[in-house]
Amino acid sequence: MNRKKRVTIYDIAQKLNVTASTVSRALSNNGYVNETTRQLVLKIAAELNYKRNTLASNLRKGETKTIGVIVPRINQNFFANVIAGIEDSTYQKDYNLIICQSDELHEKEIKCVNTLINQHVDCIVISVSADSYNYDHLQNVIDQGIQLIQFDRVAEELETLKVINDNEQASFEAVCHLIEQGYKKIALLEGPQNLNIFRQRKSGYLKALRKFKIKVNNAYVVENAWTKELGAAATKKLLSLPDAPDAIFASTSDFSALGVLEVANDLHIKVPSQLGICGYSNEAFTEITSPSITTIDQFSVDMGKAIANLYFDEMEKAEASVTPKIISIKPKLIVRGSTIRRGLEENQEIKSQESR
Amino acid sequence: MNRKKRVTIYDIAQKLNVTASTVSRALSNNGYVNETTRQLVLKIAAELNYKRNTLASNLRKGETKTIGVIVPRINQNFFANVIAGIEDSTYQKDYNLIICQSDELHEKEIKCVNTLINQHVDCIVISVSADSYNYDHLQNVIDQGIQLIQFDRVAEELETLKVINDNEQASFEAVCHLIEQGYKKIALLEGPQNLNIFRQRKSGYLKALRKFKIKVNNAYVVENAWTKELGAAATKKLLSLPDAPDAIFASTSDFSALGVLEVANDLHIKVPSQLGICGYSNEAFTEITSPSITTIDQFSVDMGKAIANLYFDEMEKAEASVTPKIISIKPKLIVRGSTIRRGLEENQEIKSQESR
DNA sequence: TTTCAATATGCAATCGATTGCAGAAAAATA
DNA sequence: TATTTTTCTGCAATCGATTGCATATTGAAA
């Protein structure tokens, strides 16, 4: 393709017999410029369809008004929603977003980071990939003088601005709810323990068991069960135990919980009377399954807005906070059909379970 | 925040007592540079943690190796998947992606376009918003010498590269399937007719009715029913007609079809025996509802890959094609429980309908 | 009326990387 | 050995927009 010559401020300057300096001042309305001259500049610029070259102006100004966002997967609902929330806020402030995805790969995450550093973005927002095992590349962001904000999945040893969910509390509440509904043998489907979010969800699970003096059964904790298929496989294993669980908390995702539900249906196990199911993330489908699935809403769009606003607040300060700020979004337990047992039903179903 | 001084090629040049010119040649391995010198440059660059400033190099080189993508909403599954597909391919070619969303607003779409023009992206990929009513801003992209690729929702009067779905054929097949299942009174939930995709879906609907010599009933065509709520409202209206439809093709989205299903359940109308339901887009939930919903898969990730590859193919040509290429992805009808009636059931249910 | 402040414009440098070309040195060829 | 070709480096300009500062003019204040 033959690249057309783009109109520059020199073309406008020539037409008006002024210098590029005057044109620049008129276009940016910065510094002194005569109003009549300014209107002429704007008029010619429009006629010639001039578009500023932000490569040049950003290079000269030393800022890009651009935020780079790195997420594990763009087409995962949680992250797409967070991005939408960030975009809502940054649009108001005339900031640009560059969005990258790591595909849950360490190597790709490093590449994303370097690309954004090279692009001289003003801030990098990141949720780390499952594959990531060291965070030198994030330290590098800080070393280059770029603002770094971590969200959801964070490298805890890096003291940066953070926007997180209170995963432990949400998990704690979910498991307490299960126990209050009469479930006694609660299994946990967990994610990779190198990620903070899954560690915290497990921590909340254990805390709830402790609160109610329920003994921890290690056979009830299954690793890496975060897709529907992995959730289903884990469920088959759990339900074939001699002392099978009576509830499954899929702390990794609603997809995992969906896999649990499908296996329960296949095995003609009644939900919620014989088996309770709780997911995580409040995916759209959790309210349309039969029964609908109890889950945890992470307020992902709000999280995105909090991230953007944290950045803008920090920019407005004369100097950086001594201790980087951490914002914690409180998730909400959404109780639905998959975990609701009533007193009367409870008596009947306990009997039914003993005969299974 | 106090912006740190970034390491530049001049810092490396100084340390090695060579000029920036040599450093540049060494880093890019372009032109002649002594191998020993080159290795020294790379070593010092790594020690100093030098990062190229792509603002500067892109400005000088006159290319950015960046593709700008504008979609109506990032957190809508179809678009998120297309983006994922584009990213898969562009990552292989070391191209950067800048992703913008128009929020279905004309004004915001114009802003996105201008931002990308200013950024000197090499290509703009766009699916137009529902609100868009003229396409001067897209013509402007072409005038600035930037490659423009439209996908899915396109401005038909603009002759550009395009990647589309064969919406008419998919719709035609869906409606034929409904008719073949014995549905005789088929309603259409349509989207805004300024968008090509919805016009084509309606066109396929009409074509199928013509093929089977079924008279078009205008009362069965409902406008702007593209969310779950709007689909539910439209369904209530349709089902209260004296001569209610026996099938509803929600050509706008699966969410709309979900609204139909919920109303049917509320009114104790049996699906598929009394009412057939077909959606569009193969959202994840369509296979988990009861009954699962017949829908159309648009192969969105593949579409994204086709878009990226179209761009790269076009770039490799010595000159632009005389007639811009149009790639048509063939969607697939996914038949599920919501539209399957058997011969025996058909006889029973026709009788049941007459008594309703 | 004189002095000071505000307005306006142009010049030249800057931002950081790239590259055409000149000149020098080394290597290859006649 | 002389000539030609290849390799290497540095200089200077380029990319397009911005901005500090000098200079000139106009307007306001003393």
Side-chain angles (χ1 to χ4, degrees):
Chain A
M1 177 156 203
N2 199 17
R3 172 57 59 95
K4 282 193 199 169
K5 167 76 170 68
R6 301 271 288 262
V7 176
T8 72
I9 57 173
Y10 295 93
D11 300 312
I12 300 175
Q14 186 177 43
K15 269 209 176 274
L16 290 175
N17 214 28
V18 297
T19 63
S21 179
T22 302
V23 173
S24 180
R25 275 194 300 270
L27 289 174
S28 59
N29 208 8
N30 181 52
Y32 295 112
V33 63
N34 181 280
E35 185 60 28
T36 301
T37 306
R38 192 170 80 84
Q39 292 299 328
L40 280 175
V41 167
L42 293 178
K43 180 170 174 288
I44 298 296
E47 282 178 11
L48 296 183
N49 203 13
Y50 163 79
K51 298 287 182 191
R52 175 191 286 133
N53 183 335
T54 52
L55 300 178
S57 69
N58 289 344
L59 176 63
R60 178 62 173 79
K61 289 167 73 166
E63 70 164 1
T64 56
K65 293 192 79 172
T66 301
I67 296 176
V69 182
I70 303 172
V71 297
R73 290 198 203 279
I74 290 169
N75 60 347
Q76 189 172 323
N77 224 32
F78 172 73
F79 295 118
N81 283 331
V82 170
I83 291 169
I86 296 175
E87 204 271 345
D88 275 354
S89 291
T90 55
Y91 176 72
Q92 305 295 330
K93 300 271 189 171
D94 252 334
Y95 261 69
N96 301 308
L97 274 200
I98 300 182
I99 301 163
C100 307
Q101 79 174 345
S102 59
D103 274 324
E104 303 277 9
L105 298 171
H106 185 58
E107 176 190 309
K108 207 168 171 183
E109 185 172 284
I110 292 175
K111 185 169 188 292
C112 290
V113 166
N114 284 334
T115 294
L116 293 176
I117 290 176
N118 290 350
Q119 294 268 27
H120 277 235
V121 294
D122 297 319
C123 171
I124 292 181
V125 175
I126 186 169
S127 188
V128 297
S129 67
D131 190 40
S132 294
Y133 49 85
N134 84 62
Y135 301 106
D136 293 344
H137 56 302
L138 298 187
Q139 182 59 44
N140 195 12
V141 171
I142 299 163
D143 295 341
Q144 299 282 346
I146 298 178
Q147 183 70 263
L148 176 66
I149 302 181
Q150 300 185 67
F151 77 98
D152 195 48
R153 304 181 186 180
V154 300
E156 283 161 319
E157 64 261 35
L158 277 185
E159 299 214 330
T160 71
L161 298 176
K162 291 177 182 130
V163 179
I164 55 178
N165 265 312
D166 194 343
N167 287 285
E168 179 173 323
Q169 180 64 18
S171 187
F172 173 77
E173 285 176 19
V175 178
C176 287
H177 160 71
L178 287 170
I179 294 167
E180 283 153 5
Q181 289 293 323
Y183 299 106
K184 295 267 173 9
K185 299 174 291 186
I186 301 172
L188 175 74
L189 305 190
E190 62 173 12
Q193 294 297 295
N194 60 303
L195 291 178
N196 63 307
I197 59 172
F198 296 128
R199 288 205 301 276
Q200 287 155 9
R201 293 176 196 177
K202 181 173 183 178
S203 177
Y205 162 82
L206 295 174
K207 189 174 164 191
L209 294 189
R210 277 200 305 274
K211 178 184 176 182
F212 287 90
K213 300 187 183 0
I214 297 179
K215 188 165 179 289
V216 179
N217 184 341
N218 289 322
Y220 288 172
V221 181
V222 185
E223 295 185 332
N224 295 323
W226 60 353
T227 64
K228 189 179 76 163
E229 291 74 31
L230 292 174
T235 302
K236 281 177 191 157
K237 212 158 60 162
L238 285 168
L239 295 183
S240 65
L241 290 174
D243 194 22
D246 59 1
I248 300 182
F249 175 37
S251 73
T252 50
S253 73
D254 287 327
F255 291 98
S256 188
L258 183 59
V260 177
L261 181 59
E262 287 184 355
V263 169
N265 287 339
D266 288 349
L267 298 183
H268 303 293
I269 295 173
K270 290 188 168 67
V271 177
S273 50
Q274 295 180 309
L275 181 72
I277 303 179
C278 179
Y280 210 106
S281 257
N282 200 18
E283 297 284 339
F285 64 76
T286 51
E287 62 181 345
I288 63 179
T289 55
S290 280
S292 52
I293 301 176
T294 294
T295 183
I296 289 160
D297 192 306
Q298 298 176 278
F299 300 117
S300 41
V301 175
D302 289 341
M303 181 179 255
K305 287 174 182 171
I307 290 165
N309 293 334
L310 176 60
Y311 171 69
F312 294 130
D313 290 346
E314 206 64 16
M315 286 300 100
E316 280 171 20
K317 291 187 185 175
E319 38 191 75
S321 310
V322 175
T323 307
K325 203 167 183 184
I326 300 180
I327 291 180
S328 186
I329 306 274
K330 187 164 163 46
K332 182 178 180 187
L333 179 65
I334 310 286
V335 177
R336 293 200 181 104
S338 66
T339 61
I340 298 179
R341 301 203 290 191
R342 302 198 186 286
L344 196 58
E345 289 172 2
E346 185 176 358
N347 291 333
Q348 288 181 329
E349 300 304 338
I350 286 175
K351 198 161 185 180
S352 181
Q353 281 177 36
E354 288 169 351
S355 66
R356 173 164 42 109
Chain B
M1 179 158 201
N2 199 16
R3 173 56 60 95
K4 281 194 198 168
K5 167 77 170 66
R6 301 271 289 261
V7 176
T8 72
I9 56 171
Y10 294 94
D11 300 311
I12 301 174
Q14 185 176 47
K15 270 207 178 279
L16 291 174
N17 216 27
V18 296
T19 64
S21 178
T22 302
V23 172
S24 180
R25 277 194 299 270
L27 289 175
S28 61
N29 209 9
N30 180 53
Y32 295 111
V33 62
N34 181 281
E35 187 60 26
T36 302
T37 307
R38 193 170 80 86
Q39 293 298 330
L40 281 176
V41 168
L42 294 178
K43 178 168 176 289
I44 299 296
E47 284 177 10
L48 296 183
N49 203 13
Y50 163 78
K51 297 288 181 192
R52 175 192 288 138
N53 182 336
T54 53
L55 298 179
S57 68
N58 288 345
L59 175 63
R60 179 63 174 80
K61 290 168 70 167
E63 70 162 4
T64 57
K65 296 191 76 170
T66 302
I67 295 177
V69 181
I70 303 172
V71 296
R73 291 200 203 278
I74 290 171
N75 59 347
Q76 188 172 323
N77 224 31
F78 172 72
F79 295 119
N81 283 332
V82 171
I83 291 170
I86 296 175
E87 204 271 345
D88 275 353
S89 291
T90 55
Y91 176 71
Q92 307 295 330
K93 300 273 188 169
D94 252 336
Y95 260 70
N96 300 309
L97 272 201
I98 300 181
I99 300 164
C100 308
Q101 78 173 347
S102 61
D103 273 326
E104 303 276 11
L105 298 170
H106 185 59
E107 176 190 308
K108 207 167 171 186
E109 186 174 284
I110 291 176
K111 185 168 190 295
C112 291
V113 165
N114 283 335
T115 294
L116 293 175
I117 290 176
N118 289 352
Q119 293 267 26
H120 277 234
V121 294
D122 298 318
C123 172
I124 292 180
V125 175
I126 187 169
S127 187
V128 299
S129 67
D131 190 38
S132 294
Y133 48 86
N134 84 60
Y135 301 106
D136 293 345
H137 56 303
L138 298 187
Q139 182 59 43
N140 196 10
V141 172
I142 300 164
D143 293 342
Q144 299 280 349
I146 299 178
Q147 183 69 262
L148 176 66
I149 303 183
Q150 299 186 69
F151 76 98
D152 194 50
R153 305 180 184 180
V154 300
E156 284 161 317
E157 64 261 33
L158 277 186
E159 299 213 333
T160 70
L161 299 175
K162 294 179 181 124
V163 180
I164 56 177
N165 267 311
D166 193 343
N167 287 285
E168 180 173 321
Q169 181 62 19
S171 187
F172 173 75
E173 286 175 18
V175 178
C176 288
H177 161 72
L178 287 170
I179 294 166
E180 283 154 6
Q181 290 293 321
Y183 299 105
K184 295 275 175 9
K185 299 174 289 185
I186 302 170
L188 175 73
L189 304 190
E190 61 173 14
Q193 294 296 294
N194 60 304
L195 291 177
N196 63 307
I197 58 172
F198 296 127
R199 288 205 301 276
Q200 287 156 9
R201 293 177 196 178
K202 181 173 183 178
S203 177
Y205 163 82
L206 294 174
K207 189 175 163 190
L209 293 189
R210 279 200 304 272
K211 178 186 175 180
F212 288 90
K213 300 185 179 8
I214 297 181
K215 188 164 179 288
V216 179
N217 184 340
N218 290 324
Y220 289 172
V221 180
V222 184
E223 295 185 335
N224 295 321
W226 60 352
T227 64
K228 188 178 76 161
E229 290 73 30
L230 290 175
T235 301
K236 280 176 192 159
K237 214 159 61 164
L238 286 168
L239 295 185
S240 64
L241 289 175
D243 195 21
D246 59 2
I248 300 183
F249 176 37
S251 73
T252 50
S253 72
D254 287 327
F255 291 98
S256 188
L258 184 58
V260 177
L261 181 60
E262 287 184 353
V263 169
N265 288 339
D266 288 349
L267 298 183
H268 303 293
I269 295 173
K270 289 186 168 69
V271 177
S273 51
Q274 295 180 308
L275 181 70
I277 303 179
C278 180
Y280 210 106
S281 257
N282 201 18
E283 297 283 340
F285 64 76
T286 50
E287 62 181 347
I288 62 179
T289 55
S290 280
S292 52
I293 301 175
T294 294
T295 182
I296 289 161
D297 192 307
Q298 298 175 279
F299 301 116
S300 42
V301 175
D302 289 341
M303 181 178 257
K305 287 174 183 171
I307 289 166
N309 293 334
L310 176 60
Y311 170 70
F312 294 131
D313 290 346
E314 206 64 16
M315 286 299 97
E316 281 170 19
K317 293 189 186 175
E319 36 192 74
S321 311
V322 172
T323 308
K325 204 169 183 183
I326 300 181
I327 292 180
S328 186
I329 308 276
K330 186 165 164 45
K332 183 180 179 185
L333 179 66
I334 312 286
V335 177
R336 293 198 181 104
S338 67
T339 61
I340 297 177
R341 303 205 289 193
R342 302 198 184 287
L344 195 58
E345 289 171 357
E346 185 177 358
N347 291 335
Q348 288 182 329
E349 300 304 340
I350 287 174
K351 198 163 187 181
S352 180
Q353 283 176 35
E354 287 169 349
S355 67
R356 170 163 42 109

